[in-house]
Amino acid sequence: MRSTKIRFLALVVMAVMMLSACAGLLSACNFFGGGDGDGDGGADGDVTLNFMAYAPANEQAKSIYIGILEAFTAETGIKVKPVFVPKDNYNTKLSQNLKTKNNKPDVFYLDQPILADYVAQCLSLDEGFFAAEGEEGLKKSDFFSAAMDTAVYNGKTYAVPFSLTSSVLLYNKTLVKDIPSNWNEWKNMSVPSETALFSGIGAGGYASWYFQAFLKSAGGEMVKNNQPAFNSAEAVKAAQMVVDLYAKSPKAVRETSNAFAQGKIMFQLAHSADIVNLYASNPTWCAENMAATLFIPEEDGGTSYSNIGGENLAIRKGSGKEEQAKQLVKFLLRKENITKLIGTNFAAIKSIAQVPENDPVTGVAYSAVVKAALQVVLEQLNTASARPAVKGWAKVNDMYLANALADIIENGTDPKTALDQAAQQAAGVLEF
């Protein structure tokens, strides 16, 4: 009898062990198919995409974004778990999250100048995302040319352009009666007392970004033949033009609070958000005095080049949810969705990019002067220039080139000397 009981207990233990093993297997299957791990999860309804994006500007904008993601789930059955991160801290948070075991983003915003640093984590989109020319569907040619440049590294596409802006020149109509047609006319303009010809290019990474408009207009490039090229003869000419503009722009005037809207600045570099925010703070003055023009070319009849900014969307390689991730990206790119998500920027798809009648979040109608200035930004996007798609460029942009420009502008350092030093520093950082 005792041996029978022992055999019975042994069978019970074995049964419990087998059930436990099966439960563990089922748990593992659920883990790899769920929203926090890798794997495709089988049917779309079993999949949750982790989506990392810039934090919306306010609760109203956040509510709109979440509503669009819920509409995606209702249409496809694919769930989306958004993680909104403030833009100033976004790149650090993205780097951290991509290193975690679970909760890695499956779809994420990717700042244009750091694409090259993240290609190892990004799915190549050359196959299975864009339609071929002549076929129905979203094609590369549907996007602004410079926008696609921001999504390509070493000839392969690793992101999808999402939103865009570009720099234009705002000017005071009371002080500027005729727009100069070339750099010589611009720097030789008569400047009233207590007034600055130019508000400046700012500091840090912004200075380097704005400098690109001057460099490209002078016929130069940031990088050429796998070498830093922002110390070329064209670059020195561009830097000297900045120096000449500053010479007629007293620092005390330039640094006056709200100097442009105080009537103290003749020309000011600005992009989409600057235009909207400037008007919001100074509606009466802007309505009477503010206008915008394309960036002034170096020579008469030359092309008006400028820079480009904005966001791209990327899909994590190896997530196991690549096909569902592609569906989300294409859903966000639909006209009815993207126009609500890009704030003051423009859609990267040319046929969708247009000056809105109303603020996309509040619905408040834009004034005539704001719409006219934004129309200039939209035109400038056709000749915008992408930043180099090179590993390490963000450091060069924010440190070495920015410091060189500061030395040239603030300390009077010879442009060639300062740019040569920055180029030498950059050569040790950039990876081609």
Side-chain angles (χ1 to χ4, degrees):
M1 177 65 72
R2 183 178 180 183
S3 61
T4 302
K5 289 182 177 180
I6 292 174
R7 285 197 298 272
F8 176 75
L9 288 173
L11 289 171
V12 170
V13 170
M14 290 179 63
V16 170
M17 291 176 64
M18 290 178 66
L19 287 172
S20 177
C22 289
L25 181 60
L26 288 171
S27 176
C29 290
N30 182 62
F31 174 81
F32 286 106
D36 295 340
D38 291 344
D40 61 13
D44 286 346
D46 298 329
V47 175
T48 299
L49 293 172
N50 293 324
F51 177 43
M52 191 168 173
Y54 292 155
N58 51 49
E59 285 302 313
Q60 188 176 3
K62 182 178 179 180
S63 177
I64 291 173
Y65 214 134
I66 291 175
I68 289 173
L69 296 179
E70 289 174 347
F72 171 74
T73 300
E75 180 177 307
T76 65
I78 303 169
K79 303 178 185 68
V80 182
K81 178 183 176 183
V83 176
F84 295 121
V85 181
K87 189 171 183 178
D88 289 345
N89 190 47
Y90 181 85
N91 291 345
T92 300
K93 187 67 173 177
L94 174 63
S95 179
Q96 293 172 347
N97 280 22
L98 285 171
K99 294 175 183 177
T100 61
K101 181 177 181 181
N102 303 321
N103 293 315
K104 294 180 181 179
D106 302 299
V107 179
F108 50 94
Y109 276 41
L110 189 60
D111 197 13
Q112 293 169 351
I114 63 171
L115 170 74
D117 298 307
Y118 283 84
V119 291
Q121 288 84 26
C122 295
L123 179 70
S124 174
L125 299 172
D126 288 310
E127 300 293 335
F129 187 88
F130 297 102
E133 295 300 321
E135 295 182 358
E136 186 177 351
L138 189 65
K139 297 175 282 294
K140 292 182 180 180
S141 61
D142 291 330
F143 295 83
F144 285 95
S145 174
M148 283 306 308
D149 288 342
T150 70
V152 174
Y153 175 73
N154 278 355
K156 291 186 177 181
T157 308
Y158 290 97
V160 182
F162 190 57
S163 74
L164 300 177
T165 190
S166 182
S167 298
V168 296
L169 283 168
L170 299 182
Y171 65 94
N172 184 331
K173 293 189 294 183
T174 304
L175 301 175
V176 179
K177 301 302 181 182
D178 298 301
I179 303 299
S181 60
N182 57 61
W183 282 6
N184 280 332
E185 288 184 7
W186 188 11
K187 68 183 181 182
N188 289 321
M189 292 181 73
S190 177
V191 182
S193 61
E194 302 300 318
T195 303
L197 175 59
F198 181 55
S199 64
I201 60 174
Y206 265 108
S208 302
W209 186 58
Y210 281 131
F211 178 67
Q212 187 168 0
F214 289 90
L215 176 59
K216 186 70 176 179
S217 294
E221 302 286 346
M222 288 291 191
V223 170
K224 190 174 182 179
N225 298 327
N226 288 348
Q227 291 293 328
F230 53 78
N231 61 331
S232 64
E234 293 83 3
V236 172
K237 183 189 298 183
Q240 186 59 53
M241 177 58 183
V242 174
V243 170
D244 292 342
L245 292 174
Y246 271 76
K248 289 191 170 184
S249 309
K251 185 175 183 179
V253 176
R254 287 188 285 107
E255 294 186 353
T256 299
S257 178
N258 202 22
F260 184 68
Q262 293 294 324
K264 297 178 179 295
I265 303 291
M266 296 174 70
F267 290 93
Q268 174 167 302
L269 277 167
H271 52 82
S272 307
D274 296 328
I275 293 167
V276 174
N277 294 335
L278 185 63
Y279 180 86
S281 300
N282 312 274
T284 302
W285 187 91
C286 289
E288 297 176 356
N289 298 281
M290 185 178 76
T293 183
L294 298 173
F295 191 79
I296 298 167
E298 183 196 359
E299 301 290 347
D300 283 354
T303 300
S304 173
Y305 291 106
S306 192
N307 50 25
I308 195 170
E311 293 81 45
N312 292 338
L313 293 174
I315 296 171
R316 181 167 61 89
K317 181 173 65 176
S319 73
K321 312 172 195 174
E322 290 90 341
E323 294 308 311
Q324 292 90 347
K326 290 176 184 178
Q327 291 183 60
L328 175 59
V329 172
K330 290 182 178 179
F331 185 84
L332 296 177
L333 288 170
R334 290 182 187 175
K335 183 176 181 178
E336 65 270 22
N337 296 326
I338 191 172
T339 51
K340 298 175 183 176
L341 301 177
I342 56 177
T344 55
N345 283 359
F346 289 91
I349 299 173
K350 290 181 288 187
S351 63
I352 297 176
Q354 59 186 18
V355 176
E357 292 293 326
N358 308 304
D359 182 290
V361 175
T362 65
V364 175
Y366 279 141
S367 68
V369 68
V370 168
K371 289 192 290 186
L374 291 177
Q375 183 63 46
V376 178
V377 178
L378 180 56
E379 183 179 350
Q380 189 76 77
L381 284 171
N382 290 303
T383 53
S385 180
R387 284 163 283 192
V390 183
K391 291 182 179 180
W393 178 254
K395 182 176 182 178
V396 172
N397 182 84
D398 295 352
M399 291 181 59
Y400 302 139
L401 179 54
N403 291 341
L405 292 170
D407 280 343
I408 293 167
I409 295 167
E410 302 294 337
N411 303 323
T413 304
D414 172 67
K416 178 63 174 172
T417 300
L419 294 175
D420 277 346
Q421 181 180 0
Q424 291 173 3
Q425 293 171 320
V429 172
L430 299 179
E431 298 178 31
F432 294 93

